[in-house]
Amino acid sequence: MIIAAYMVPHPPMIVPAVGRGSEQQIEKTIRAYQQVAEEIADIRPDTIIISSPHATMYADYIHVSPGKKASGSFENFRAPQERFEEEYDQKLVNVIEALAQEKDFPAGTLGEREKKLDHGTMVPLYFIRQKYQSGKIVRIGLSGLSLAQHYAFGEIVREAVQMTDTKAVYIASGDLSHKLQTYGPYGYAPEGPEYDEKIMEVCSAGDFGKLLEFDETFCEKAAECGHRSFVIMAGALDGVNVTAKELSHEDVTGVGYGICTFHPVDPEAEPDPARRFLDVYLRLKEEELQEKKAGEDAYVRLARNTIEGYIRHGEVISPPTGLPEEMKKEKAGAFVSIHEH
């Protein structure tokens, strides 16, 4: 089972060999990270699952790192002495990929572009490995797919963990907004502080359903990097009642760093329907869609039925009965907008 999950940031400067003293600016984050590492050491998991925004990323495919093992270092941050040699949990990866194929979900081990571990993976491991040296890892990238699809992939991860009887912890690696301060490296945007406040409120309460409600444009303006990582984690805890706790939140560098912990109240309990957040979200969307359809005029209804009939069933529909006479007798151009999701 997934015994615990953690939302953590990944600033390389937090590693002393990289920060060279500047890490003292985020002392609260360091102390919170050390607490996370101690908790994981107490759990002694078989596998540490890490989703990272800096692993291989595609627009339409969630990548899971393949192979037996991987290495990496902070050489790009002038600290080559900080090195990692990690073994992948191939059995769990294979089951995740098989389930994705079975469900016709766009995820798997194809298309690896960089074998070396990324800093979004290594920063959490830097703290964990100081307290706990055992356990294989699974490294998951993010994608341009929708938030709902990332949640659905988290459900696949959870199912694979259960099928393989793996004792696992989930690490959702990701910084918050990069636009919190005018003096920060990315400048300031009003959406930045708003995002940080909102994401910390949602995660500290374990209210994962609200993660799906964040507007994509708002997230882009806030320049966040970890939201999809947090959503996969939420999917991996689908149906599970958790005790959520905020350990720290800092924005002194102009980038938001938040750490929260999530512990299942009873990992072996039956799923709580109220916490099947994707199911709830899709039901609400379906209700909105049906309400919208009920108010459509004949022109929009015909366009929708034409497109749905072809995409879902590969059929070119026949003109339905009951069309207004003008639609059957007058010729004119037609322009149809198809909106994403």
Side-chain angles (χ1 to χ4, degrees), residues 167-187:
K167 184 180 180 182
V169 295
Y170 193 101
I171 305 293
S173 177
D175 296 337
L176 308 185
S177 171
H178 284 61
K179 292 192 174 184
L180 298 177
Q181 305 287 351
T182 55
Y183 58 74
Y186 304 95

mmCIF file of all heavy atoms in Angstrom, residues 167-187:
data_model
loop_
_atom_site.group_PDB
_atom_site.id
_atom_site.type_symbol
_atom_site.label_atom_id
_atom_site.label_comp_id
_atom_site.label_asym_id
_atom_site.label_seq_id
_atom_site.Cartn_x
_atom_site.Cartn_y
_atom_site.Cartn_z
ATOM 1 N N LYS A 167 5.116 -1.994 -0.453
ATOM 2 C CA LYS A 167 5.045 -1.013 0.628
ATOM 3 C C LYS A 167 5.737 0.244 0.114
ATOM 4 O O LYS A 167 6.961 0.285 -0.021
ATOM 5 C CB LYS A 167 5.735 -1.551 1.877
ATOM 6 C CG LYS A 167 5.639 -0.651 3.096
ATOM 7 C CD LYS A 167 6.370 -1.292 4.272
ATOM 8 C CE LYS A 167 6.287 -0.420 5.514
ATOM 9 N NZ LYS A 167 7.047 -1.019 6.646
ATOM 10 N N ALA A 168 4.950 1.281 -0.185
ATOM 11 C CA ALA A 168 5.493 2.441 -0.891
ATOM 12 C C ALA A 168 5.169 3.751 -0.198
ATOM 13 O O ALA A 168 4.193 3.860 0.557
ATOM 14 C CB ALA A 168 4.955 2.471 -2.322
ATOM 15 N N VAL A 169 5.999 4.759 -0.477
ATOM 16 C CA VAL A 169 5.670 6.139 -0.140
ATOM 17 C C VAL A 169 5.708 6.926 -1.442
ATOM 18 O O VAL A 169 6.413 6.557 -2.387
ATOM 19 C CB VAL A 169 6.644 6.753 0.890
ATOM 20 C CG1 VAL A 169 6.544 6.038 2.221
ATOM 21 C CG2 VAL A 169 8.075 6.756 0.380
ATOM 22 N N TYR A 170 4.932 7.996 -1.496
ATOM 23 C CA TYR A 170 4.857 8.810 -2.711
ATOM 24 C C TYR A 170 5.436 10.194 -2.416
ATOM 25 O O TYR A 170 5.037 10.844 -1.447
ATOM 26 C CB TYR A 170 3.409 8.946 -3.197
ATOM 27 C CG TYR A 170 3.336 9.495 -4.601
ATOM 28 C CD1 TYR A 170 3.117 8.655 -5.678
ATOM 29 C CD2 TYR A 170 3.538 10.850 -4.852
ATOM 30 C CE1 TYR A 170 3.091 9.151 -6.976
ATOM 31 C CE2 TYR A 170 3.520 11.353 -6.134
ATOM 32 C CZ TYR A 170 3.295 10.499 -7.204
ATOM 33 O OH TYR A 170 3.293 10.992 -8.482
ATOM 34 N N ILE A 171 6.359 10.634 -3.263
ATOM 35 C CA ILE A 171 6.959 11.960 -3.149
ATOM 36 C C ILE A 171 6.509 12.796 -4.338
ATOM 37 O O ILE A 171 6.878 12.512 -5.486
ATOM 38 C CB ILE A 171 8.503 11.893 -3.137
ATOM 39 C CG1 ILE A 171 9.006 10.967 -2.028
ATOM 40 C CG2 ILE A 171 9.088 13.298 -2.992
ATOM 41 C CD1 ILE A 171 8.755 11.463 -0.633
ATOM 42 N N ALA A 172 5.694 13.808 -4.091
ATOM 43 C CA ALA A 172 5.265 14.729 -5.141
ATOM 44 C C ALA A 172 6.209 15.923 -5.121
ATOM 45 O O ALA A 172 6.059 16.849 -4.326
ATOM 46 C CB ALA A 172 3.822 15.177 -4.911
ATOM 47 N N SER A 173 7.211 15.883 -5.995
ATOM 48 C CA SER A 173 8.218 16.933 -6.045
ATOM 49 C C SER A 173 7.721 18.083 -6.905
ATOM 50 O O SER A 173 7.269 17.869 -8.034
ATOM 51 C CB SER A 173 9.523 16.355 -6.615
ATOM 52 O OG SER A 173 10.506 17.351 -6.734
ATOM 53 N N GLY A 174 7.825 19.292 -6.382
ATOM 54 C CA GLY A 174 7.393 20.446 -7.159
ATOM 55 C C GLY A 174 7.434 21.725 -6.359
ATOM 56 O O GLY A 174 6.957 21.758 -5.222
ATOM 57 N N ASP A 175 8.016 22.761 -6.947
ATOM 58 C CA ASP A 175 7.959 24.085 -6.323
ATOM 59 C C ASP A 175 6.576 24.672 -6.549
ATOM 60 O O ASP A 175 5.800 24.199 -7.388
ATOM 61 C CB ASP A 175 9.016 25.003 -6.929
ATOM 62 C CG ASP A 175 10.436 24.511 -6.663
ATOM 63 O OD1 ASP A 175 10.629 23.751 -5.696
ATOM 64 O OD2 ASP A 175 11.334 24.886 -7.440
ATOM 65 N N LEU A 176 6.275 25.730 -5.829
ATOM 66 C CA LEU A 176 5.001 26.422 -6.001
ATOM 67 C C LEU A 176 5.194 27.545 -7.028
ATOM 68 O O LEU A 176 5.848 27.347 -8.031
ATOM 69 C CB LEU A 176 4.510 26.916 -4.648
ATOM 70 C CG LEU A 176 4.453 25.835 -3.542
ATOM 71 C CD1 LEU A 176 3.829 26.391 -2.270
ATOM 72 C CD2 LEU A 176 3.732 24.596 -4.004
ATOM 73 N N SER A 177 4.655 28.719 -6.779
ATOM 74 C CA SER A 177 4.800 29.801 -7.758
ATOM 75 C C SER A 177 6.241 30.287 -7.832
ATOM 76 O O SER A 177 6.953 30.342 -6.830
ATOM 77 C CB SER A 177 3.893 30.975 -7.386
ATOM 78 O OG SER A 177 4.182 32.098 -8.213
ATOM 79 N N HIS A 178 6.674 30.667 -9.034
ATOM 80 C CA HIS A 178 7.989 31.256 -9.234
ATOM 81 C C HIS A 178 7.913 32.780 -9.371
ATOM 82 O O HIS A 178 8.912 33.415 -9.719
ATOM 83 C CB HIS A 178 8.634 30.679 -10.498
ATOM 84 C CG HIS A 178 9.154 29.290 -10.328
ATOM 85 N ND1 HIS A 178 8.339 28.224 -10.004
ATOM 86 C CD2 HIS A 178 10.408 28.781 -10.424
ATOM 87 C CE1 HIS A 178 9.071 27.130 -9.927
ATOM 88 N NE2 HIS A 178 10.327 27.426 -10.164
ATOM 89 N N LYS A 179 6.734 33.338 -9.089
ATOM 90 C CA LYS A 179 6.565 34.786 -9.290
ATOM 91 C C LYS A 179 5.968 35.439 -8.047
ATOM 92 O O LYS A 179 4.911 36.060 -8.093
ATOM 93 C CB LYS A 179 5.684 35.043 -10.510
ATOM 94 C CG LYS A 179 6.355 34.642 -11.826
ATOM 95 C CD LYS A 179 5.604 35.174 -13.029
ATOM 96 C CE LYS A 179 6.373 34.897 -14.312
ATOM 97 N NZ LYS A 179 5.714 35.492 -15.499
ATOM 98 N N LEU A 180 6.706 35.309 -6.947
ATOM 99 C CA LEU A 180 6.196 35.818 -5.670
ATOM 100 C C LEU A 180 6.766 37.172 -5.280
ATOM 101 O O LEU A 180 6.159 37.900 -4.500
ATOM 102 C CB LEU A 180 6.505 34.808 -4.552
ATOM 103 C CG LEU A 180 5.855 33.434 -4.692
ATOM 104 C CD1 LEU A 180 6.304 32.532 -3.552
ATOM 105 C CD2 LEU A 180 4.344 33.545 -4.702
ATOM 106 N N GLN A 181 7.945 37.506 -5.782
ATOM 107 C CA GLN A 181 8.618 38.731 -5.369
ATOM 108 C C GLN A 181 9.227 39.435 -6.583
ATOM 109 O O GLN A 181 9.717 38.776 -7.501
ATOM 110 C CB GLN A 181 9.737 38.428 -4.358
ATOM 111 C CG GLN A 181 9.304 37.644 -3.131
ATOM 112 C CD GLN A 181 8.477 38.471 -2.154
ATOM 113 O OE1 GLN A 181 8.362 39.690 -2.297
ATOM 114 N NE2 GLN A 181 7.905 37.810 -1.149
ATOM 115 N N THR A 182 9.223 40.751 -6.553
ATOM 116 C CA THR A 182 9.825 41.512 -7.662
ATOM 117 C C THR A 182 11.322 41.260 -7.759
ATOM 118 O O THR A 182 11.908 41.337 -8.845
ATOM 119 C CB THR A 182 9.574 43.015 -7.479
ATOM 120 O OG1 THR A 182 10.057 43.420 -6.186
ATOM 121 C CG2 THR A 182 8.092 43.345 -7.584
ATOM 122 N N TYR A 183 11.964 40.950 -6.606
ATOM 123 C CA TYR A 183 13.408 40.713 -6.619
ATOM 124 C C TYR A 183 13.756 39.261 -6.954
ATOM 125 O O TYR A 183 14.932 38.913 -7.042
ATOM 126 C CB TYR A 183 14.031 41.078 -5.270
ATOM 127 C CG TYR A 183 13.466 40.326 -4.079
ATOM 128 C CD1 TYR A 183 13.770 38.986 -3.847
ATOM 129 C CD2 TYR A 183 12.621 40.971 -3.180
ATOM 130 C CE1 TYR A 183 13.246 38.309 -2.762
ATOM 131 C CE2 TYR A 183 12.096 40.290 -2.086
ATOM 132 C CZ TYR A 183 12.419 38.963 -1.880
ATOM 133 O OH TYR A 183 11.900 38.288 -0.805
ATOM 134 N N GLY A 184 12.764 38.412 -7.135
ATOM 135 C CA GLY A 184 13.012 37.014 -7.431
ATOM 136 C C GLY A 184 13.540 36.821 -8.845
ATOM 137 O O GLY A 184 13.463 37.732 -9.682
ATOM 138 N N PRO A 185 14.049 35.658 -9.157
ATOM 139 C CA PRO A 185 14.641 35.415 -10.483
ATOM 140 C C PRO A 185 13.632 35.451 -11.626
ATOM 141 O O PRO A 185 14.027 35.605 -12.782
ATOM 142 C CB PRO A 185 15.257 34.015 -10.337
ATOM 143 C CG PRO A 185 14.487 33.369 -9.227
ATOM 144 C CD PRO A 185 14.155 34.473 -8.272
ATOM 145 N N TYR A 186 12.345 35.304 -11.323
ATOM 146 C CA TYR A 186 11.324 35.281 -12.374
ATOM 147 C C TYR A 186 10.371 36.462 -12.290
ATOM 148 O O TYR A 186 9.389 36.517 -13.023
ATOM 149 C CB TYR A 186 10.540 33.961 -12.294
ATOM 150 C CG TYR A 186 11.427 32.742 -12.372
ATOM 151 C CD1 TYR A 186 11.881 32.115 -11.214
ATOM 152 C CD2 TYR A 186 11.839 32.235 -13.595
ATOM 153 C CE1 TYR A 186 12.710 30.997 -11.273
ATOM 154 C CE2 TYR A 186 12.677 31.122 -13.669
ATOM 155 C CZ TYR A 186 13.107 30.514 -12.502
ATOM 156 O OH TYR A 186 13.930 29.429 -12.567
ATOM 157 N N GLY A 187 10.646 37.405 -11.372
ATOM 158 C CA GLY A 187 9.784 38.563 -11.249
ATOM 159 C C GLY A 187 8.524 38.278 -10.450
ATOM 160 O O GLY A 187 8.425 37.289 -9.735
#
